[in-house]
């Protein structure tokens, strides 16, 4: 069993698609019309993952206050530097997770204001 896709709230699908493909190296797995209002069914494949991201309509551009997703990466520090070089807003520098000693975490915001966590475990 696995999770097919995780819903990610976005306000601007094109901006979000560009962010996730350019900054995180995702590949577009699906991009098709969905109704008459211009909203599309967009799924992105994360590098090395079975689960895909699916864009869910967000009512406004108000940033999230809590993390909407935790992404596990091999090296948090290296990933933070790569994201920073691509202009991504890093909101918390790499540090040991208070809830899991020995695990490094950092936080960033995506193009839609979603609060995201990077973790090495």
């Amino acid at each position: 069993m696995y999770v097919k896709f995780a819903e990610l709230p976005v306000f601007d699908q094109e901006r979000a698609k560009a962010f996730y493909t350019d900054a995180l190296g995702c590949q577009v797995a699906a991009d098709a019309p969905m109704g008459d209002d211009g909203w599309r069914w967009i799924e992105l494949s994360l590098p090395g993952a079975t689960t895909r991201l699916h864009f869910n309509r967000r009512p406004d551009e108000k940033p999230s206050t809590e993390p909407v997703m935790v992404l596990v990466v091999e090296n948090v520090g290296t990933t933070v530097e790569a994201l920073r070089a691509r202009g991504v807003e890093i909101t918390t520098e790499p540090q040991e997770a208070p809830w899991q000693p020995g695990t490094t975490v950092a936080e960033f915001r995506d193009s839609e204001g979603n609060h995201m966590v990077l973790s090495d475990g």
Side-chain angles (χ1 to χ4, degrees):
M1 183 182 306
Y2 67 94
V3 175
K4 183 173 182 174
F5 60 82
E7 297 212 338
L8 185 64
V10 304
F11 185 76
D12 182 321
Q13 288 184 301
E14 280 303 313
R15 180 176 63 198
K17 186 169 113 175
F19 176 87
Y20 281 90
T21 57
D22 296 344
L24 294 179
C26 292
Q27 297 292 315
V28 177
D31 187 346
M34 194 174 112
D36 297 330
D37 63 357
W39 195 256
R40 302 187 328 265
W41 181 273
I42 296 177
E43 281 184 43
L44 300 177
S45 297
L46 292 155
T50 304
T51 303
R52 294 178 174 173
L53 296 178
H54 167 253
F55 292 159
N56 189 23
R57 189 185 311 255
R58 183 185 194 142
D60 57 40
E61 293 192 70
K62 183 179 175 185
S64 67
T65 56
E66 299 297 322
V68 298
M69 193 171 302
V70 176
L71 301 172
V72 177
V73 296
E74 191 171 314
N75 185 299
V76 173
T78 301
T79 302
V80 163
E81 290 311 312
L83 291 174
R84 184 177 280 123
R86 294 180 186 117
V88 175
E89 176 190 2
I90 305 301
T91 57
T92 304
E93 294 296 324
Q95 60 185 305
E96 185 173 77
W99 63 89
Q100 191 173 3
T103 298
T104 302
V105 295
E107 299 173 353
F108 69 95
R109 286 214 184 268
D110 72 2
S111 63
E112 306 307 290
N114 292 311
H115 181 155
M116 310 291 275
V117 176
L118 295 170
S119 173
D120 65 4

